[in-house]
Structures are given as structure tokens and as C-alpha cells.
Amino acid sequence: MSGALVIAEPDADEAVAAVLRKLAVVWTGFEARLEAVPLIRKLTRGRFELADYHAFLVQLRQQVKDGALWMSRAASNIDEQHLELRSILMRHAVAEHRDFRLLDADYVASGGARQAIENGEKNLGSEALSAWMFHKASQANPFGLLGAMFIIEGLGSIKAGEWGRRVCERLDLPTTAARFLLYHGENDAGHMEEFQAMLRLVLPDAATAAAIVRCAEVTARLYTLQIEEIAA
């Protein structure tokens, strides 16, 4: 009998719970930093203007349009041992690959010219966020990206609805001019349940758990940078 200490791996539920606790800490810091960004402060304190909303939509479009693309790339780099995760990512990419058109429609419904949002360019933060996501998605079995999805889906389920309602109130716009934010606020809660199911497909594994949390930290910082770079 060996005298070596053997540390048992936690079961999947324990491992998922441990990662969720660490992701909750990342989210708390992200949310605090986001609330301090000038554009979001204007939205929450009542000084938000139509030009702010249009600039916000232009940058959201960059992220949303790229989202289905990096999810598709990530799915293509997942091996045969994780086919269920590959299938979930592919379904998610298909479900959301036209969402940027909602942003176009919101831009036009709030008085903007369609050509302006279609020709909008990424700011420095959007460039960095996009490059990071595609970099991670290009790796073999890019399970760390689940951390990025936690941040992005968290924004949809926790922040999007609140932001959409505030936009309509501050700018006296109809809800048809904030459909993207309001829709995701109402529908992304189910995505978080799916997220936990995805975690169970790759955990327990200590290296994967660490990669997920680290990817969440970097994505949170770059997402904030994207909003910081919007002139307010």
C-alpha cells in the first residue's frame, strides 16, 4: 500500500458549484467597474442622450455580430469526446447569428440612419475583445470560453433589461426602439441554466476550472474597456 496522499477529485456538482462561486466573485468586480464607466453612469443618473445610445448600439453590434462567429469557431475546435458541448455551441450560434439585425432596427427606430450603424467601426475596446475571443476560440477544446459566456450571458440576463427600460425612460423612446436589450433581458435567464449544463460536460478538471475563471476575468476587463472607449 502506498503512503502517498491521494486527493479525490470533486464530483461534477461540487466542481460546478466551486467554479460558479469563483465566477460570482469575478461578476461582482465586473459589475462595480461597469457601473463606474461614464456612459453607464449617465444612463443610471439621467443624463443619457440619444447620441450616447446610438454610440452604444454601434459597439454592441460589433460584439454581437462577432459572437456567433467565435462560437462557431470554438465548436469546430471541440473534439469527439465532447460532442454534446459542440452541439450546444452550434445551436447557440445559429440562434443568435442574426441578432445584430435587431440592433440595426433599434438604431433606426430611435432616429438613426441604418447606413451609420452598418458602417460603424470597432473602438479600441471592441477590437481587443474581439481579438481575445477569436484567439481563445481558435485553440483546441477551448473550454475556458465558458468563462466568457458567463460574463456575456450574465449581462443579458441581469443588465440588458434594466438598461433597455432606462433607455426608453430617459430618451422617451418606445420599447420598439430597444428591442435587443429588452428581449435579452427577458430571455437570457434560461441561458444561465444551459451554462451550468455545459459546465457539467467539462468538469471536474482543475485546469479547465482555472481556465474558465481566468477567461471570465479577461473578458470582463475587455468588455468594460469597450464601454469605456465610447465617448460620453
Side-chain angles (χ1 to χ4, degrees), residues 3-205:
L5 176 63
V6 176
I7 301 176
E9 282 277 2
D11 65 24
D13 286 343
E14 291 174 343
V16 167
V19 166
L20 287 174
R21 284 194 293 272
K22 292 178 180 178
L23 290 176
V25 173
V26 176
W27 175 265
T28 300
F30 169 54
E31 187 174 35
R33 196 162 193 162
L34 201 57
E35 295 293 339
V37 173
L39 185 81
I40 302 302
R41 285 169 62 89
K42 288 180 74 173
L43 179 60
T44 56
R45 298 188 178 192
R47 294 181 288 107
F48 199 70
E49 299 175 356
L50 186 59
D52 298 321
Y53 183 44
H54 284 170
F56 186 45
L57 292 179
V58 168
Q59 294 310 312
L60 275 181
R61 187 182 199 272
Q62 316 303 322
Q63 172 214 316
V64 170
K65 188 175 180 181
D66 281 355
L69 302 180
W70 64 252
M71 275 191 278
S72 298
R73 182 177 297 186
S76 73
N77 284 311
I78 291 176
D79 63 22
E80 293 182 12
Q81 283 67 51
H82 300 87
L83 282 178
E84 181 57 28
L85 180 60
R86 184 196 293 179
S87 297
I88 293 172
L89 286 177
M90 291 174 70
R91 288 197 299 270
H92 209 81
V94 169
E96 299 194 352
H97 80 289
R98 293 174 182 266
D99 276 8
F100 70 94
R101 291 299 188 196
L102 263 181
L103 291 163
D104 294 349
D106 288 347
Y107 193 89
V108 172
S110 58
R114 182 176 297 275
Q115 189 174 21
I117 189 169
E118 289 180 345
N119 293 337
E121 296 183 351
K122 294 174 180 171
N123 65 26
L124 294 180
S126 294
E127 291 279 12
L129 178 60
S130 180
W132 164 252
M133 302 301 280
F134 280 109
H135 163 68
K136 299 301 291 183
S138 299
Q139 298 174 357
N141 286 333
F143 303 146
L145 274 174
L146 293 179
M149 294 182 72
F150 176 83
I151 295 298
I152 294 169
E153 297 294 351
L155 283 165
S157 62
I158 298 173
K159 291 295 180 185
E162 174 196 339
W163 288 349
R165 289 188 292 275
R166 285 184 185 274
V167 164
C168 292
E169 291 169 5
R170 303 302 187 209
L171 303 179
D172 194 23
L173 291 174
T175 56
T176 50
R179 288 192 302 161
F180 177 87
L181 292 171
L182 295 173
Y183 171 81
H184 283 279
E186 293 173 358
N187 292 280
D188 280 10
H191 291 179
M192 296 309 288
E193 296 175 5
E194 185 179 64
F195 173 75
Q196 292 188 36
M198 287 192 285
L199 287 180
R200 288 190 180 87
L201 295 174
V202 298
L203 297 175
D205 181 86

